[in-house]
Amino acid sequence: MWWHQHNLCFRHHTQEDCSLGDLEKKVSVAGSGTGRGSPAVTLVQLPSGQTVHVQGVIQTPQPSVIQSPQIQTVQVATIAETDESAEAEGVIDSHKRREILSRRPSYRKILNELSSDVPGVPKIEEEKSEEEGTPPNIATMAVPTSIYQTSTGQYTATGDMPTYQIRTPTTALPQGVVMAASPGSLHSPQQLAEEATRKRELRLMKNREAAKECRRRKKEYVKCLESRVAVLEVQNKKLIEELETLKDICSPKTD
DNA sequence: AGTATTTGGCGTCAGCATAT
DNA sequence: ATATGCTGACGCCAAATACT
């Protein structure tokens, strides 16, 4: 996958991505030769030790969980190779390369496509209903007052609870962000600066939430891949056993 | 016990995709 | 054309774990 190939796992973040790549590879390999006659519910033990019930994940002659990214991989692998030589000649710069490489589809998209193909695969919901048990609509955004910026540029909450955990429904305007006067009524440079600051804070806040949501989806996606790998491995084993049995039956007896 | 390394999560930025 | 959303990458921090 290009997003792995181009980042050589220097840090744990990218190592994470690499293991995700391995997982995706596993699923595509394990799933490539299967797809019929599986039990409705399979009990599978994950590498982590926990046992999961997976329902009909591999029943259909399905495309792989990661089929679309995989197709990209093939494209990219060839492109990347040619790129290497091209780079040696100094023909294609990194920007152009970026343009060639297609973007990885979102986890939501991948998983939802999968779930529409395959029953038993959970859909990633559009708006998750507060899994932390925090009721929606109780948010109180006291944003700037309890936050200071550290020497490293990070924002830190001064209270017990980090400010970022205090959230509002994504559609609503954060309460801490007071709507400034309409742009038409802005006059002084100071007002303009305040408006710019306010916009920035709003953008950062939204992005913060988006990043959290994105990570949550990614985890869900990885979980899904893990259970799929486990199921496919079980089925693969069964098929191999079945094959051996059939071989025994069909092979001419040598006595 | 003290230190080093690993792991997991966070906020932010950049850049692409999509909606308006 | 602009706004908005999504996600990879990065740097940081804290907790967990391994090592001495």
Side-chain angles (χ1 to χ4, degrees):
Chain A
M1 318 255 160
W2 69 268
W3 55 89
H4 305 126
Q5 288 168 344
H6 289 252
N7 300 286
L8 299 174
C9 303
F10 288 121
R11 291 171 49 80
H12 65 270
H13 310 284
T14 43
Q15 280 167 2
E16 243 177 54
D17 289 345
C18 286
S19 62
L20 175 59
D22 290 343
L23 204 55
E24 288 173 334
K25 222 179 286 177
K26 264 191 181 178
V27 170
S28 63
V29 168
S32 58
T34 60
R36 83 195 149 75
S38 61
V41 177
T42 314
L43 197 63
V44 171
Q45 183 153 25
L46 296 180
S48 57
Q50 65 180 127
T51 312
V52 292
H53 294 265
V54 186
Q55 194 171 22
V57 180
I58 47 176
Q59 280 180 334
T60 57
Q62 84 285 25
S64 160
V65 180
I66 50 167
Q67 192 175 36
S68 44
Q70 208 182 1
I71 288 165
Q72 286 179 357
T73 307
V74 175
Q75 293 170 339
V76 167
T78 51
I79 290 168
E81 275 174 28
T82 53
D83 273 1
E84 264 178 29
S85 52
E87 267 183 356
E89 295 162 25
V91 178
I92 299 180
D93 61 2
S94 62
H95 187 72
K96 196 165 183 180
R97 185 197 197 112
R98 262 197 112 100
E99 284 176 353
I100 294 169
L101 300 172
S102 53
R103 185 184 177 84
R104 178 197 176 103
S106 75
Y107 301 117
R108 178 184 294 174
K109 208 177 246 180
I110 294 171
L111 211 54
N112 286 348
E113 275 173 14
L114 171 67
S115 60
S116 61
D117 287 340
V118 181
V121 176
K123 274 201 172 192
I124 293 181
E125 294 161 19
E126 286 296 318
E127 195 64 44
K128 218 193 169 189
S129 57
E130 295 302 324
E131 71 270 46
E132 296 90 0
T134 317
N137 304 325
I138 60 159
T140 53
M141 282 303 299
V143 178
T145 54
S146 59
I147 293 182
Y148 65 91
Q149 191 167 13
T150 66
S151 57
T152 60
Q154 286 201 318
Y155 291 97
T156 307
T158 53
D160 286 336
M161 178 182 290
T163 308
Y164 56 77
Q165 288 184 355
I166 307 168
R167 49 191 299 192
T168 57
T170 47
T171 50
L173 262 179
Q175 293 177 10
V177 181
V178 181
M179 279 301 285
S182 63
S185 65
L186 291 173
H187 299 300
S188 69
Q190 195 193 351
Q191 278 176 317
L192 289 170
E194 280 174 8
E195 171 71 2
T197 307
R198 188 191 64 81
K199 275 187 178 175
R200 177 182 154 78
E201 279 175 2
L202 186 59
R203 183 165 46 80
L204 288 180
M205 197 185 317
K206 279 186 176 177
N207 189 243
R208 206 150 47 220
E209 291 300 316
K212 271 190 264 186
E213 192 60 18
C214 181
R215 285 171 183 136
R216 188 189 64 76
R217 280 195 296 269
K218 186 175 184 176
K219 280 174 77 176
E220 205 169 317
Y221 173 64
V222 168
K223 265 190 202 168
C224 177
L225 286 183
E226 281 173 348
S227 39
R228 196 158 155 71
V229 164
V231 168
L232 291 173
E233 280 175 352
V234 166
Q235 193 180 27
N236 197 33
K237 202 176 167 189
K238 276 184 186 169
L239 286 172
I240 288 171
E241 286 170 7
E242 193 182 331
L243 179 64
E244 291 303 321
T245 310
L246 289 172
K247 269 185 185 172
D248 285 348
I249 293 170
C250 294
S251 63
K253 295 202 171 133
T254 54
D255 18 272

